[in-house]
Amino acid sequence: MKLQEIKEKSIDELKDLILDSKKELFTLKMGHNKLKQLENTASIRNKKREIARAKTVLRQKELNS
């Protein structure tokens, strides 16, 4: 998800996005570690970065409110 798309979301939507992304990251990690079925290992890093972006934007919005 692009940074601009994340910035357009509300605080509640950002919290939901973070929660969903953490769940997806967990399933990616389990698929890679246990089953060795993950073809694109870069998707783990991309998901971590998406979570970090969302947390940063969320914190900025909380401070500006």
Side-chain angles (χ1 to χ4, degrees):
M1 183 173 288
K2 302 268 184 187
L3 181 61
Q4 189 61 32
E5 294 172 358
I6 294 174
K7 285 184 176 182
E8 293 172 354
K9 295 188 179 288
S10 68
I11 291 177
D12 291 333
E13 290 173 333
L14 285 172
K15 289 179 182 179
D16 291 339
L17 174 67
I18 292 169
L19 184 64
D20 293 340
S21 294
K22 284 185 177 183
K23 288 179 183 178
E24 289 177 31
L25 179 62
F26 177 76
T27 56
L28 285 172
K29 284 182 177 181
M30 289 300 107
H32 178 65
N33 289 339
K34 299 293 182 193
L35 305 174
K36 304 292 184 198
Q37 293 180 348
L38 189 62
E39 292 178 11
N40 184 7
T41 56
S43 60
I44 293 175
R45 179 171 36 167
N46 292 338
K47 192 55 68 176
K48 285 181 182 180
R49 287 181 178 177
E50 181 180 316
I51 292 168
R53 284 186 194 108
K55 283 184 174 183
T56 301
V57 172
L58 176 63
R59 182 70 177 141
Q60 289 172 347
K61 288 187 179 216
E62 288 176 344
L63 290 175
N64 290 335
S65 302

